Amino acid sequence: MSVSGTINLIWLEGQDCAGCTISTKQASNPTLIDVLVGTIPALGEIRLVFHPTLMPDWGEDAAKVLVDAADGKYDPFVLVLEGAIPDESKAVGGVFCVVGEVGERILKLEDVVRDLSKRCAAAVALGSCASFGGIPHGSPNPTGARGLLDFLGKDWKSGLGLPVVCVPGCPPRPDNIIQALGSLVLVARGVTPVPELDEWHRPKFLYGYTAHELCPICGFYAEGKDAHAFGELGCLGGIGCKGIITNCNASTSWTDGYGGCTRTGVPCFGCADPNFPDPPTSPFFAKAPAMAFVKETFAGNWGHFKMGLARLKRRKI
Ligand code: SF4
Ligand code: SF4
């Protein structure tokens, strides 16, 4: 099945800080504007019909979009969730998360997500909170926060037959957001096949490697040169880097070739990991589990040995 006309985006914010939205606005390859004004012909027309932080409408006019969407007025649409979903059955004498009001009706996030999930073409969990619960889900998790993957289940399928797609990070790298959303629009248009997902429903083309494998300062690790304090040149593993246990490409650069966590001297704190912010990603400045480094050392030694042997052979030109 492929979609030819306008594809609408309905972007909800639950238990979040709007950091994923800010990150989205920093995307460079392509930019959010490129996507929305049609600079990329294969994407076709995309309309952002609901976004609590970016849309000009407010109050009941804005909330009505959600009610109409549940009735089919905005089909086909991609549901984007930023932020975790609290468990309203744990709210005593109140409500944890409301996304709007229409007349006397209070729109709880939990109900809106459930209603929209019944007709969305695809559903994307943006950021670690929406993917796996993230910071609101951290122990002792008083609101029963969970991500979209837990809420809808690993077997859930969208109108296009797709599972929940997770784009974790706190926030995710800007280009990861746009490229993940863009790839799903291309799937909906029938241009590209469904991207391969890993066991945590992350697109492998974005999350297929650890921050350590992609780390631009991994040469220090190979040389055994550790940084012992912030600002010192060296591998950051001794001051808490969790890159060795975290699948993320943000260590390479943050946006447009600039920034990047370990590249700028910041130890990875595992914000894209499904366990974040609980152990083993925390305490943030404690070292990653030693076993991860032991395994990496054995793999690394074997890799060095193989590379050495490969260099002994003459190259045929
Ligand atoms: S431990 Fe961290 S800083 Fe050191 S090489 Fe791995 S990712 Fe880079
Ligand atoms: S490299 Fe680590 S800290 Fe940086 S965004 Fe990725 S998971 Fe988060």
Side-chain angles (χ1 to χ4, degrees):
M1 182 165 69
S2 74
V3 179
S4 54
T6 303
I7 294 180
N8 294 308
L9 287 186
I10 296 185
W11 187 306
L12 298 172
E13 290 186 46
Q15 292 173 294
D16 78 325
C17 66
C20 298
T21 292
I22 293 168
S23 180
T24 308
K25 287 161 70 186
Q26 296 170 346
S28 59
N29 183 28
T31 68
L32 179 62
I33 302 294
D34 286 336
V35 171
L36 294 178
V37 303
T39 310
I40 305 160
L43 292 177
E45 190 185 1
I46 298 173
R47 283 177 59 218
L48 186 59
V49 292
F50 187 90
H51 191 306
T53 307
L54 301 178
M55 71 196 294
D57 297 330
W58 61 286
E60 201 155 307
D61 287 343
K64 189 127 191 332
V65 173
L66 300 177
V67 176
D68 289 344
D71 289 338
K73 187 173 167 197
Y74 292 99
D75 286 355
F77 68 88
V78 173
L79 176 64
V80 180
L81 176 66
E82 174 178 357
I85 308 166
D87 179 354
E88 294 297 346
S89 70
K90 289 183 189 284
V92 180
V95 184
F96 282 142
C97 191
V98 172
V99 289
E101 290 174 40
V102 177
E104 297 292 302
R105 190 172 156 204
I106 290 177
L107 305 180
K108 295 179 198 167
L109 175 74
E110 206 178 54
D111 297 335
V112 172
V113 172
R114 194 174 290 114
D115 288 347
L116 297 185
S117 69
K118 290 178 186 151
R119 55 185 326 134
C120 64
V124 182
L126 261 200
S128 291
C129 302
S131 297
F132 315 123
I135 288 178
H137 172 273
S139 178
N141 190 6
T143 63
R146 67 271 211 227
L148 196 58
L149 195 55
D150 255 7
F151 185 73
L152 294 178
K154 285 202 166 185
D155 296 329
W156 175 89
K157 292 283 188 302
S158 71
L160 285 173
L162 305 172
V164 171
V165 174
C166 295
V167 187
C170 194
R173 180 176 183 244
D175 285 346
N176 286 7
I177 297 173
I178 294 287
Q179 288 172 13
L181 286 173
S183 71
L184 291 179
V185 171
L186 291 176
V187 170
R189 298 286 186 214
V191 175
T192 54
V194 179
E196 201 183 338
L197 305 180
D198 69 11
E199 57 171 330
W200 291 103
H201 290 212
R202 303 171 288 198
K204 282 192 179 176
F205 75 96
L206 297 170
Y207 292 88
Y209 296 96
T210 62
H212 180 75
E213 285 171 302
L214 299 175
C215 182
I217 60 169
C218 213
F220 289 127
Y221 176 82
E223 292 291 319
K225 196 170 170 198
D226 247 345
H228 297 100
F230 288 94
E232 244 181 50
L233 270 185
C235 166
L236 306 165
I239 51 173
C241 186
K242 308 293 191 306
I244 200 150
I245 54 167
T246 308
N247 283 49
C248 181
N249 61 6
S251 57
T252 54
S253 93
W254 187 250
T255 187
D256 211 9
Y258 295 96
C261 303
T262 58
R263 188 169 184 239
T264 49
V266 180
C268 167
F269 58 102
C271 76
D273 187 80
N275 295 301
F276 174 80
D278 291 331
T281 65
S282 60
F284 295 143
F285 299 125
K287 293 174 194 168
M291 195 41 87
F293 288 103
V294 171
K295 274 194 201 157
E296 207 280 348
T297 301
F298 281 114
N301 283 342
W302 173 237
H304 288 170
F305 179 67
K306 272 198 318 188
M307 292 299 251
L309 285 183
R311 295 301 179 276
L312 292 176
K313 284 193 209 148
R314 187 179 283 273
R315 182 176 174 221
K316 284 189 191 137
I317 302 173

